[in-house]
Amino acid sequence: NVGWQAGDRWLLAMPLARVGGLSILTRCLAARATLVLAPRFDAAGLPGLIEHERITLASLVPTMLALTLDAHPGWVAPPYFRTLLLGGSAASPRLFARSRAARLPVVVTYGCTETCSQIVATPYEARFDAEPWGCGTVLPGAELRADGERLQVRGAMRMHGYLGEPALDPNAWFDTGDHGRIHPDGHVELFGRRHDLIVTGGENVYPAEVERVLEALPGIAAAAVFGVPDETWGQTVAAALVADGTPPPDATIVAHLAAHLARHKRPRAVVWVDALPVTAAGKPDRGALGARVGELRGLKA
C-alpha cells in the first residue's frame, strides 16, 4: 500500500514488545530499509527528530500524535515526510483536522496481534484526506467479513493459534472480537475494540463514538469514555474530560449530547482531569480511569 522509495527511513518510537512496534522492525528488515530507533517517545522532540534524521515514514497511535501537535502548535510536516501510519485506537475528527493543518500524510490502519499487525489501511493515495475512509480498506492477502457487527479475518498473516491450545484450522475465520461494518464501497468502519465496549441496560455503547461527540464541543480538548458498574443498569457511561481553555458549563454539555446521541449513550457523570492516562503503548488507558470513579459528578442540565 505505502511501498518503498529510495532513501526511506522509518521511525520506530513505539514499544518493540507490541506488535505495532515489532512490525516496523520486521518490514524494514524484509525490505533492507533503514530503521531509526528512538530511545523513547518524546512529543516535544519528535518534529526535531523527524527533521534531524530526515524521517520519511513513522508509526504512531492517536494519543502520541495529539501530544505532538499540542507541543508544537503550527508545526508543518516537511515535504519528504510521506507517511504517518496511525492506528491502535480511534482518531477523532478534530485530530484529523489538526493533521490536515499540519500537512501530515496520514494512513489509518487497523489490525491486531493475532494477525501480525495491520490488515486494513487507508489507500496511500488518500493520505492527505484519510477521514472519509474510516480505518481503510482490506489489504491484499487478507479477508475480512462482518458477522453481525463482529469482525472476522482469515489469511496467511493470521497466527497458528494461542500457546497451549489446539492449532487453528488454516481456513477458519478468526473472530477479532472487535465491532465494525464493511461498507459497500469496501471501506471499513470500526465501532470499537472488544475490551472497550460498555453494556448499559442491555444496550451497547462504543466509547469512540461518544468521545468524538464530546471532542467536537468547544472547550473540550480530549475525552475518554468508560463504564462504571451499576446494580440497576449493569454499567453506566462516564467520561474523563480535558479542558481546552474554559470548560463548557454542564447545561451546554448536556444539550450537545442530547442533540447527537441516543439517551443510553450519554455520559451521566464526568470528571475533569489535566491529562488522560495512557498505556505503555500510548493508547487511552480506560482501566486506569476506574480509580477516578470517586471523583465523578453528575451532569446537571
Side-chain angles (χ1 to χ4, degrees), residues 1-288:
N1 181 38
V2 172
W4 293 101
Q5 295 182 8
D8 269 342
R9 297 166 64 81
W10 204 307
L11 176 65
L12 172 55
M14 306 174 73
L16 271 167
R18 307 280 179 168
V19 74
L22 180 64
S23 63
I24 299 172
L25 175 61
T26 56
R27 73 172 66 102
C28 286
L29 284 170
R32 299 300 186 264
T34 299
L35 178 147
V36 177
L37 182 62
R40 60 184 175 85
F41 170 70
D42 175 18
L46 187 62
L49 182 62
I50 288 173
E51 293 171 15
H52 181 265
E53 295 288 347
R54 202 171 177 83
I55 300 298
T56 63
L57 307 115
S59 301
L60 298 176
V61 301
T63 303
M64 291 176 170
L65 177 56
L67 290 171
T68 301
L69 296 176
D70 287 345
H72 297 274
W75 176 64
V76 174
Y80 51 80
F81 185 78
R82 67 183 190 89
T83 303
L84 172 63
L85 281 186
L86 191 67
S89 60
S92 67
R94 179 179 180 181
L95 187 58
F96 279 117
R98 297 177 72 190
S99 299
R100 287 192 294 270
R103 299 178 194 167
L104 279 167
V106 174
V107 170
V108 180
T109 72
Y110 163 71
C112 48
T113 303
E114 292 90 345
T115 61
C116 199
S117 198
Q118 59 189 304
I119 51 177
V120 171
T122 307
Y124 180 67
E125 296 75 17
R127 61 195 180 280
F128 288 104
D129 190 20
E131 186 174 5
W133 288 86
C135 54
T137 57
V138 181
L139 293 170
E143 294 181 79
L144 188 72
R145 72 179 185 184
D147 183 5
E149 290 186 350
R150 300 270 291 213
L151 295 177
Q152 299 179 342
V153 63
R154 67 180 179 184
M157 83 300 299
R158 196 212 64 197
M159 66 175 184
H160 293 294
Y162 291 109
L163 183 67
E165 297 184 10
L168 299 173
D169 181 334
N171 297 313
W173 289 93
F174 172 72
D175 185 353
T176 66
D178 297 328
H179 301 256
R181 175 190 303 148
I182 304 173
H183 289 260
D185 67 357
H187 87 266
V188 180
E189 180 183 3
L190 185 66
F191 297 152
R193 309 305 292 251
R194 52 189 162 188
H195 49 272
D196 292 341
L197 183 68
I198 300 169
V199 182
T200 177
E203 299 281 359
N204 290 346
V205 178
Y206 299 105
E209 177 189 7
V210 183
E211 288 162 359
R212 285 194 293 268
V213 171
L214 286 166
E215 290 173 356
L217 182 63
I220 297 179
V225 170
F226 58 104
V228 177
D230 184 89
E231 289 186 7
T232 301
W233 300 100
Q235 289 179 297
T236 57
V237 182
L241 306 175
V242 178
D244 182 12
T246 302
D250 282 7
T252 300
I253 298 175
V254 170
H256 178 74
L257 292 171
H260 295 88
L261 292 171
R263 184 179 297 275
H264 67 275
K265 298 180 181 180
R266 303 173 202 165
R268 296 189 180 188
V270 300
V271 56
W272 291 94
V273 297
D274 293 331
L276 299 178
V278 295
T279 66
K283 302 177 185 180
D285 189 351
R286 300 182 202 281

